[in-house]
Amino acid sequence: MQRMWAPWRIGYIVGDRQADCVFCRKIESDDDEGNHVLLRGEQNVILLNTYPYNSGHLMVVPHEHVGILVDLPIETQVELWKLTELAVRALSEALYPEGFNIGMNIGQAAGAGISDHLHMHIVPRWSGDTNYMTAVAETRVVPQSLDDSFKQLKPIIDRLAEKDTAAS
Ligand SMILES: [Zn+2]
């Protein structure tokens, strides 16, 4: 990753906020397979949620550590949406979901787990997947392991991304 010398960003880069952020750590890391990072765009990444709500629960995360949309450049927002749509196509091809929940929880009050670094959730849904376990124990049975999901989705996402790049 190329870096510009930008002294006013030093506090931002080395600050506790950034060091503590699981998304920043994964974006900085080279271990995409270990971190389940499926695709690196120009301004965003697609990765598997470590604590999935369902099999194939993906997230699109901007490189920038910002908690509110207004702080995110419009080009980044555009790519965030393009990668969200790409994730939907990949999941449709891999897992045949019957529906999707797509969205952001912005701020702790809205239920954001990591409120300092905004992120888009893409959750594939099947009828009947809200099962007894969820209602009773607030626990979900997620049948596919993260490693298996990664191995299944990675080649599909790479192929779709290549096709999109060629078309643009
Ligand atoms: Zn962050």
Side-chain angles (χ1 to χ4, degrees), residues 18 21 23-24 65 117:
Q18 192 93 336
C21 176
F23 292 143
C24 286
H65 184 92
H117 195 145

Side-chain angles (χ1 to χ4, degrees), residues 39 86 157-167:
L39 185 77
L86 190 151
I157 286 186
D158 283 344
R159 174 166 45 75
L160 293 176
E162 208 170 296
K163 207 172 93 188
D164 286 1
T165 310

Side-chain angles (χ1 to χ4, degrees), residues 12 17-27 61-66 114 116-118:
Y12 187 69
R17 200 167 68 118
Q18 192 93 336
D20 288 348
C21 176
V22 65
F23 292 143
C24 286
R25 281 208 305 272
K26 287 181 182 186
I27 288 162
V61 186
H63 296 168
E64 276 169 275
H65 184 92
V66 298
I114 300 166
D116 286 346
H117 195 145
L118 57 80

Side-chain angles (χ1 to χ4, degrees), residues 88-157:
V88 166
R89 274 186 285 148
L91 288 168
S92 300
E93 190 176 322
L95 301 173
Y96 308 101
E98 294 163 340
F100 288 92
N101 291 116
I102 296 171
M104 289 180 162
N105 302 323
I106 296 179
Q108 256 163 14
I114 300 166
S115 59
D116 286 346
H117 195 145
L118 57 80
H119 48 282
M120 181 79 86
H121 290 274
I122 300 112
V123 183
R125 302 300 304 267
W126 295 265
S127 11
D129 66 7
T130 308
N131 59 27
Y132 180 78
M133 277 294 289
T134 315
V136 172
E138 291 187 358
T139 306
R140 283 201 162 259
V141 179
V142 178
Q144 195 177 40
S145 81
L146 290 176
D147 286 339
D148 286 348
S149 296
F150 184 86
K151 284 193 193 93
Q152 188 187 9
L153 286 166
K154 177 74 181 150
I156 297 174
I157 286 186

